[in-house]
Amino acid sequence: MTTLEVSLLETENLLNNYTKWLRRQYQVTHLQNSDSDEISTPFLNNIGDNIRLYVSNLADNSFQLDDDGETLNNLSLLGINVDSALRKRMIHNTCEEFSITLSEDILQVAGTVADFPAMKQHLISAILKIDDLSLLKKTNVQKLFAEELYNFLDKNDFGGLPQYAVKGQTGNSYKIDYVIPQNHAQSKPMRLVDFQDHVSFNQVAIAAYKFQDITNTLPVNASFSIIFNDTQHTLPVQALNAANKSGISLLRWNQQSSLEKLR
């Protein structure tokens, strides 16, 4: 036996051992008062639980494999808004990539016994990829929220400029998320807009300082607004009071009609 043959045999044995070990990590439970079985897999979801799949027989000698809605439900429990336009698109694209159907909130795939290996692989892959949306928190959520806003403002022709750089009286440089130029015909000042996924008193206070620092350096009159994500967070009274005292308009993303005042 050559060295190459020995190496191949060892690799084959490693794969066989891994396959046997992996199979032992799966647990199957028949669900009472049901024609379905639950498969507990060794893969973990975003809350540290084993991902579970459910097998159900269909009328035409095929069967369905699904997640019983647990994937999207867990994301919602973590405060991830799976109904936002961008996340919906990401979920839809993932389902298409792995040939998975989304019915209500359930990820599912149907096929024959011969299809089962590919079905399981595709469903697990889709669940893990969609589960990664749980990582879109804090900074990542802010970036995702900003992307949604930029898409909305661009699609609806607000006519502004993203990431506008300006220097304040103190010499500090700032970047404003979105700036709409002055409109003389409509007597509209320059509109400076910041985006905040979760608005707070601290963020309003920081924005007020920034606005005061740059307002006297601008060649035209300007107004300052913050668009915040109220689909997941409430507006603290302290933040609202600070905004009113500072002349900052707080605009709710969930009430997109209110954004029309920026035009």
Side-chain angles (χ1 to χ4, degrees), residues 23-145:
R23 173 61 187 90
R24 291 195 296 268
Q25 309 312 305
Y26 286 83
Q27 296 181 359
V28 180
T29 304
H30 181 71
L31 302 179
Q32 293 184 354
N33 302 320
S34 171
D35 62 350
S36 301
D37 292 332
E38 177 190 88
I39 302 174
S40 178
T41 78
F43 301 97
L44 301 181
N45 59 24
N46 50 47
I47 60 176
D49 290 340
N50 294 86
I51 292 174
R52 294 186 293 267
L53 307 179
Y54 298 87
V55 184
S56 303
N57 292 320
L58 300 177
D60 54 357
N61 293 324
S62 62
F63 65 95
Q64 176 177 293
L65 196 61
D66 66 71
D67 74 335
D68 197 33
E70 290 182 358
T71 304
L72 297 186
N73 182 59
N74 287 340
L75 288 173
S76 297
L77 291 176
L78 288 173
I80 304 296
N81 179 17
V82 296
D83 290 323
S84 71
L86 187 57
R87 292 188 183 92
K88 276 187 173 180
R89 186 164 68 249
M90 294 170 69
I91 293 169
H92 173 76
N93 291 342
T94 299
C95 288
E96 281 200 335
E97 178 183 353
F98 296 106
S99 301
I100 300 300
T101 300
L102 179 62
S103 177
E104 301 277 333
D105 290 333
I106 298 175
L107 300 171
Q108 61 187 37
V109 59
T112 64
V113 172
D115 299 323
F116 179 79
M119 290 168 56
K120 186 195 74 69
Q121 184 68 21
H122 289 168
L123 184 55
I124 286 289
S125 298
I127 289 173
L128 291 173
K129 189 166 184 177
I130 292 172
D131 215 45
D132 281 345
L133 290 174
S134 64
L135 302 177
L136 299 175
K137 304 188 78 171
K138 298 180 180 178
T139 302
N140 290 328
V141 167
Q142 177 66 21
K143 290 179 180 178
L144 186 62
F145 176 59

Side-chain angles (χ1 to χ4, degrees), residues 145 196-199 227-235 251-256:
F145 176 59
Q196 291 291 343
D197 178 66
H198 182 195
V199 72
I227 303 176
F228 69 98
N229 186 2
D230 62 328
T231 60
Q232 298 182 25
H233 309 289
T234 58
L235 174 61
L251 306 177
R252 299 174 182 270
W253 169 240
N254 201 35
Q255 298 175 3
Q256 294 178 2

